[in-house]
Amino acid sequence: MKIIKTVKEMQAEAEKLRQAGRVIGFVPTMGYLHEGHLSLVRIARERADVVIVSIFVNPTQFGPNEDLEKYPRDFERDERLAEEAGADIIFYPSEKEMYPAGYLTYVTVDEITKTLCGASRPTHFRGVITICAKLFHAVKPHLAVFGQKDAQQAVVIRRMVKDLDFDMEIVVGPIIREEDGLAISSRNSYLSPEEREEALSLHQSLKMAEEMVRKGERRTRDIVDKMRKLIEEKKRTQIDYIDVIHPETLKPLEMIENRALIALAIFVGKTRLIDNTIVEV
Ligand code: AMP
């Protein structure tokens, strides 16, 4: 497995692969790899000839009081896990490489970045979209694989790719969970045992919502109220948002008519966790 640290070298390698007719699959990550990331590497492995994983903790997507400094990092472990899962190349640029002194350009997507996570993290998506655009120019992938765990991110990146005519496909892989249902996240490592227990309420509330829909409930307000209650029963939780929205437009839904995305962000202690499910009637 190759490790490439500069944009120039990455572009040269990608160009060589393209010239040779190889299909490039790309999995962008912030490292501290877990089963969620590795599942995306395996999807890329099935669909592409060459799999490139990027590891970059992107400072521009963190707000001023967020966890950039303490975000977990372990490159040696990532290297081993990525290789085992089938990665051929790790793109591992430094902060200076991606944002050299004098850097000024940002990419934004309107409207769909203002709700859900964008409401409480107003500069987050600008950072995510900018780094994805830059990574796509470095890696020149035919397809990039994102996780449904970050449902809004996947919708936003799809929109950027469509609107800016990036010649590539966006593939979305399912949410990978721990055995007890907690969606796997690098940020789960921040949770104390008590918080870890209470964090199960995210998944539990989504399961309850699925059950309500299955039994015929269509009014989103009633679903959200019940979810809210279940989560607020825990001592250490604080709700950022619980929303029922259209899975593609992200517009709020009053009634569930066919497909709906139920998404939530909850603070458990100081850790902000997200999760979601898609329901269909
Ligand atoms: P991150 O390193 O948190 O930026 O995540 C990199 C990619 O992995 C994103 O596309 C995430 O949506 C995806 N991802 C993170 N956690 C999971 C999970 N539990 N299941 C599936 N995909 C995930």
Side-chain angles (χ1 to χ4, degrees):
M1 192 178 59
K2 265 190 201 164
I3 294 161
I4 296 180
K5 295 189 174 177
T6 69
V7 173
K8 276 266 169 296
E9 270 174 87
M10 188 64 254
Q11 285 172 330
E13 181 71 25
E15 199 48 46
K16 209 167 72 189
L17 291 166
R18 280 187 163 251
Q19 294 287 338
R22 316 288 298 279
V23 173
I24 302 175
F26 178 41
V27 181
T29 81
M30 297 206 298
Y32 211 63
L33 301 182
H34 52 60
E35 260 316 300
H37 300 118
L38 301 178
S39 72
L40 306 182
V41 175
R42 291 184 199 110
I43 292 172
R45 187 71 274 164
E46 278 171 20
R47 311 253 325 227
D49 301 319
V50 180
V51 176
I52 303 177
V53 175
S54 66
I55 295 179
F56 181 64
V57 181
N58 174 37
T60 63
Q61 71 189 67
F62 288 78
N65 298 313
E66 292 181 356
D67 56 340
L68 173 62
E69 295 308 322
K70 69 165 185 175
Y71 197 85
R73 293 159 169 93
D74 187 343
F75 184 71
E76 273 171 32
R77 182 170 161 274
D78 287 349
E79 206 180 328
R80 182 167 51 73
L81 292 175
E83 184 161 28
E84 281 169 13
D88 300 296
I89 298 173
I90 295 185
F91 181 45
Y92 183 50
S94 67
E95 219 175 289
K96 259 208 186 124
E97 179 68 14
M98 296 315 273
Y99 300 108
Y103 187 89
L104 287 176
T105 304
Y106 293 89
V107 188
T108 57
V109 170
D110 275 351
E111 216 169 292
I112 55 172
T113 55
K114 304 230 158 67
T115 57
L116 309 167
C117 289
S120 54
R121 306 182 76 192
T123 57
H124 173 67
F125 285 110
R126 179 179 100 134
V128 169
I129 299 158
T130 300
I131 197 63
C132 284
K134 285 174 67 67
L135 290 169
F136 293 165
H137 285 310
V139 171
K140 305 177 193 258
H142 295 86
L143 60 104
V145 192
F146 288 82
Q148 177 62 19
K149 161 95 185 338
D150 298 79
Q152 186 178 17
Q153 170 173 283
V155 171
V156 167
I157 294 299
R158 267 224 170 93
R159 171 53 55 181
M160 187 268 287
V161 162
K162 184 165 192 291
D163 287 353
L164 294 184
D165 308 308
F166 278 78
D167 186 15
M168 58 183 286
E169 187 192 345
I170 299 296
V171 176
V172 178
I175 302 176
I176 306 299
R177 299 179 177 281
E178 303 283 3
E179 249 172 54
D180 60 7
L182 180 69
I184 301 181
S185 163
S186 309
R187 291 191 167 101
N188 291 349
S189 64
Y190 302 151
L191 301 170
S192 71
E194 294 78 20
E195 290 168 347
R196 172 70 181 71
E197 187 61 32
E198 294 201 355
L200 286 177
S201 62
L202 278 79
H203 180 241
Q204 285 161 357
S205 70
L206 290 167
K207 289 309 262 182
M208 183 190 68
E210 287 171 2
E211 187 59 24
M212 288 174 78
V213 174
R214 204 165 19 243
K215 289 191 170 142
E217 182 61 81
R218 298 290 176 264
R219 288 162 304 195
T220 60
R221 190 156 22 120
D222 292 6
I223 295 170
V224 171
D225 282 350
K226 283 241 170 72
M227 292 175 71
R228 197 169 272 284
K229 220 164 148 205
L230 188 149
I231 290 166
E232 280 171 349
E233 270 168 16
K234 312 288 172 197
K235 275 202 301 235
R236 299 166 181 83
T237 56
Q238 206 195 327
I239 296 169
D240 179 358
Y241 67 79
I242 303 175
D243 279 321
V244 184
I245 60 257
H246 187 282
E248 281 98 44
T249 64
L250 304 183
K251 291 229 160 69
L253 298 173
E254 270 178 34
M255 301 288 285
I256 299 178
E257 268 145 20
N258 33 62
R259 267 157 58 85
L261 172 65
I262 307 179
L264 75 182
I266 310 292
F267 284 94
V268 184
K270 289 200 167 92
T271 305
R272 185 176 175 282
L273 300 176
I274 58 172
D275 201 349
N276 68 83
T277 186
I278 289 184
V279 290
E280 244 167 306
V281 299

